[in-house]
Amino acid sequence: MSNSLGYLYRISTFGESHGGAVGVLIDGCPPGHRISLEKVQHFLNRRKPGQSQLSSPRNEQDILECLSGLENGISLGSPITIIVRNKDAKKSHYKDMQEVYRPSHADFTTDLKYGIRAQSGGGRASARETIGRVAGAAVAEQVLANLVPELRVLAYVESVKDVKAHVPDPMLLTRDMIDSHPLRCPDAASREEMSKIILDAKAKGDSVGGSIRCLCLNPPRGLGSPVFEKLHSEFAKAFMSLPATRAFAIGMGFQAEEMYGSEHNDAFVTQDGAIRTKTNRSGGIQGGISNGELISMRVGFKPVATIFKKQETVNKQGESRQFKPEQGRHDPCVLPRAVPMVESMALLVLMDQYLRQLVVKASMGENSSIKTED
């Protein structure tokens, strides 16, 4: 079972949704960087349940404990271990789910592959596992703030069901603006309709999906490589590893299928002595390598699998059953809490790729005629 992501900056997450704790082991954090655990805790607070009527009512404070890797708030270069203890696990809520396979959950496929699974909640397939990712990313963001101070990573809810937000200038967005509303959508007009859709689905015992837009503003140039580790393929792998994800697009995305090359190509220009692109239909990545322009990506999420309606299923013996959970605390829509998760996956990729690019630049010496950073 793979539980790790990254090469030079590598995180390994651990723990089950209703076990004693969840957490992360961060290997490869450079030494000598001041790491504020308060900032890590703030990031965790943004993804915890119980934030509003739009999310799960599970009552978890998600207070972190750092067990290793820091000395007086400074990274030692050794592994950083962060855990969050599960305080509000309710295994009794899952007794009726232990003998049947919940539609669109990981129950059946996990049994199929391993012959055993956590009987309470989703185990490793639960979104609670993402606590470790968010903690690892919150550390990475602080290191990147020292190494690439102009870089900013933001995400926001772009659509719920068939309602889409209108954001005319994403460069003006801030995380505080996005977080000012529980839905984490910066478009005041559309978010009210989106919120109504989510609450209506919740009242009916149903769920809805949608999409999140992720922006990497002022990214370093030269991240990624041309073949199997293209930067956008690394992003895709990271985003698609999140629970409930179903789609990924960068730049013009699927709209590019309907365009001519003359419509899609980004012309090169020189601005203030730097080579730039006149447009950004590529989404900041060309040939698998970042060109320094805004990296704009979209991640699509399916409706949450747990709904409070009767559904057809089978038990472990293959016998037909009608299933409806008697109890449980689930998000009617994963999107509001998934915003910091999406930001986290982008930060983890950028951190790892930046360290890898430093190795490449060190090997290049003075042989490069094109600057990789402004």
Side-chain angles (χ1 to χ4, degrees):
M1 184 183 294
S2 175
N3 297 288
S4 302
L5 177 75
Y7 293 88
L8 294 185
Y9 188 87
R10 186 174 183 84
I11 65 159
S12 298
T13 68
F14 54 85
E16 287 74 42
S17 59
H18 287 258
V22 292
V24 64
L25 178 72
I26 305 166
D27 198 8
C29 180
H33 289 270
R34 181 166 294 281
I35 304 298
S36 166
L37 293 180
E38 289 184 2
K39 291 182 178 179
V40 178
Q41 184 64 62
H42 176 69
F43 223 130
L44 288 174
N45 291 345
R46 296 174 65 227
R47 72 143 303 282
K48 72 180 182 180
Q51 297 182 49
S52 74
Q53 289 184 308
L54 302 175
S55 66
S56 163
R58 181 169 173 171
N59 184 23
E60 295 281 5
Q61 295 305 306
D62 289 347
I63 304 301
L64 70 85
E65 301 173 39
C66 183
L67 306 182
S68 66
L70 300 180
E71 182 74 17
N72 297 320
I74 305 297
S75 60
L76 295 170
S78 56
I80 298 173
T81 308
I82 294 174
I83 68 168
V84 169
R85 300 188 189 276
N86 294 325
K87 300 290 188 180
D88 193 33
K90 294 187 183 295
K91 293 187 177 183
S92 61
H93 284 189
Y94 295 87
K95 285 183 178 179
D96 60 328
M97 307 179 191
Q98 293 177 4
E99 295 301 319
V100 299
Y101 292 124
R102 295 172 296 169
S104 286
H105 281 77
D107 302 344
F108 172 67
T109 50
T110 303
D111 267 356
L112 185 71
K113 185 172 182 67
Y114 298 107
I116 189 172
R117 62 183 168 91
Q119 293 293 311
S120 302
R124 291 293 290 158
S126 168
R128 190 144 184 82
E129 174 272 336
T130 62
I131 283 176
R133 308 181 191 215
V134 172
V139 172
E141 184 171 54
Q142 295 181 61
V143 176
L144 284 168
N146 296 330
L147 300 176
V148 196
E150 65 275 14
L151 171 67
R152 290 192 298 138
V153 174
L154 301 172
Y156 63 88
V157 173
E158 184 173 66
S159 68
V160 172
K161 217 166 182 290
D162 56 351
V163 178
K164 189 172 181 179
H166 177 63
V167 181
D169 190 353
M171 299 295 288
L172 299 178
L173 290 176
T174 66
R175 194 171 285 172
D176 286 343
M177 290 170 56
I178 294 166
D179 283 353
S180 66
H181 189 276
L183 184 60
R184 293 197 168 96
C185 173
D187 180 9
S190 62
R191 71 186 177 207
E192 297 308 318
E193 187 175 356
M194 293 177 183
S195 298
K196 185 178 183 301
I197 290 172
I198 295 172
L199 293 175
D200 285 349
K202 181 180 180 180
K204 296 173 183 176
D206 218 327
S207 63
V208 292
S211 66
I212 289 175
R213 176 66 58 178
C214 184
L215 307 170
C216 304
L217 298 88
N218 307 311
R221 300 182 178 195
L223 304 187
S225 59
V227 189
F228 295 116
E229 294 181 350
K230 292 178 169 64
L231 183 58
H232 55 280
S233 68
E234 296 295 293
F235 279 126
K237 175 184 177 181
F239 291 136
M240 294 299 287
S241 72
L242 286 170
T245 50
R246 284 297 180 271
F248 169 79
I250 184 165
M252 297 301 294
F254 285 102
Q255 295 179 53
E257 298 176 1
E258 304 170 0
M259 301 173 73
Y260 290 106
S262 56
E263 296 173 311
H264 186 270
N265 286 350
D266 294 315
F268 286 107
V269 295
T270 300
Q271 292 181 359
D272 301 322
I275 297 175
R276 303 285 303 274
T277 59
K278 190 174 182 179
T279 54
N280 189 27
R281 302 182 185 100
S282 301
I285 300 174
Q286 295 174 320
I289 300 170
S290 61
N291 60 13
E293 305 297 335
L294 171 72
I295 298 175
S296 179
M297 300 169 286
R298 178 178 173 271
V299 186
F301 288 80
K302 70 180 180 70
V304 176
T306 298
I307 59 174
F308 294 90
K309 290 176 174 286
K310 280 190 177 181
Q311 301 175 82
E312 292 184 14
T313 188
V314 299
N315 61 17
K316 290 183 177 181
Q317 291 71 44
E319 300 166 332
S320 296
R321 292 288 184 269
Q322 288 282 324
F323 173 71
K324 176 184 176 183
E326 295 179 4
Q327 301 180 78
R329 301 159 298 172
H330 305 279
D331 296 276
C333 179
V334 73
L335 296 170
R337 293 175 59 212
V339 165
M341 300 178 199
V342 167
E343 290 175 351
S344 294
M345 301 317 294
L347 286 163
L348 291 170
V349 170
L350 291 169
M351 180 76 242
D352 187 52
Q353 290 291 327
Y354 185 78
L355 293 179
R356 295 173 72 177
Q357 179 62 4
L358 291 181
V359 174
V360 172
K361 289 172 66 177
S363 69
M364 289 165 58
E366 301 298 324
N367 296 325
S368 175
S369 59
I370 299 178
K371 294 173 63 178
T372 57
E373 291 185 51
D374 291 335

